[in-house]
Amino acid sequence: MKKKTLEDIQVNGKKVLVRVDFNVPVQDGKITDDNRIIQALPTIKYLLEENAKVILLSHLGRIKKEEDLENNSLKVVSERLSELLDKPVNFVPETRGELLEKAINDMKPKDIVMMENTRFEDLEGKKESKNDPDLGKYWASLGDLFVNDAFGTAHRAHASNVGIASRLETAAGFLMEKEIRYIGSTVENPERPFVAILGGAKVSDKIGVIENLLKIADKVLIGGGMTYTFMKAQGLNIGNSIVELDKVDLAKSLLEQANGKIILPLDFAVAEEFSADSPYRYTDYKGIKDNEEGLDIGPKTIKMFKKELKGAKTVVWNGPVGVFEFENFAKGTQAICEILANLEDTRTIIGGGDSAAAAIQMGFKEKFTHISTGGGASLQFLEGKELPGIESIDHSIDCGCEGSDCEC
Ligand code: AMP
């Protein structure tokens, strides 16, 4: 059923609480990647243009002890946002209290207030992360409407998303809407042929994703560290390659269920050491020696994957196909980026996490239909699970249909 979006709510002159995902990397007090702030700009700018009073909430990092407070203040983020918008952002260094309430009461339309990191509330009793009802109620009392644009935390039921949404009229922001449209609807109803590419370190992180994609995709191409658990399941020698021995039986059963849908690599870049400058060679899947480990897919695999991807109407990719952090072993991941960037009439979606980071780092940011901003959230979406942050957004009042058949 269609979710309420920004265009379905009347924001003029209203105090609009906006949950954004400003969980950006910060090193020595400096933001090293502001992509998440940039992704939230369309929603913030729209609300400002529509005369709303914009009250921003976000988490930053994890707060477990007193010392974490200093390194995880959102002040630095408020300064960057102010630069990007070229307008003042009133940062309030608390998550509740008189200062915050006064700042909000003094707001005029088009003003922005950003409160301190919502997870500062986790220091005592994990109030934010455990969706403490009093905290959700308090935050909801500060605004008239709620906009959830934080896809990155949509797989969690926290006070700053579900807690507020259950008490105020709630709409999806533009970023959230985009994530629902591209990942959610693709998984529900993909245009075919639908090919999935799965990589990354471990099978165990992606069991749910593999199982779900085996049901809905036409082909599942496997790369990365998880390959070797599947090869072990086939009785092949994998040398020192990364493997999860307790998942070999599971891999065996996935291969049986797959009915030929799972495509494993044909060859690998193998090295004797897990390091950036380790000498390496290419070998086929039967040639890995006991003292070698597979760190990337090889040229034959790239050629085969290219053939499998030709003509695909939908491609979803999650997880690098090699140790892309080392230049020598980033070639497979780079090749996948190039193949996808050159597909025509194909919806290409990268499901967050390391493959998104790799694609952006390698300069392919503009070449895909959609690069998800959520790692865990996009994985859960790909598993076909409901995300509490999305579930708690109101349904569109214009949508008269009921039930899961609704395609509004
Ligand atoms: P994930 O977070 O599960 O997507 O895993 C990403 C990580 O998997 C990256 O840090 C990669 O370096 C790692 N990875 C990919 N291929 C391999 C491999 N063949 N051996 C070890 N690690 C790998």
Side-chain angles (χ1 to χ4, degrees), residues 200-201 205-206 224-225 228 242 274 294-295 319-325 354:
D205 293 340
K206 296 192 182 149
Y228 308 97
I242 183 172
F274 186 91
L295 296 177
V321 294
V323 185
F324 75 100
E325 296 91 338
D354 274 323

Side-chain angles (χ1 to χ4, degrees), residues 331-343:
K331 295 188 178 102
T333 302
Q334 170 101 25
I336 298 289
C337 284
E338 272 158 24
I339 294 167
L340 298 191
N342 287 308
L343 290 175

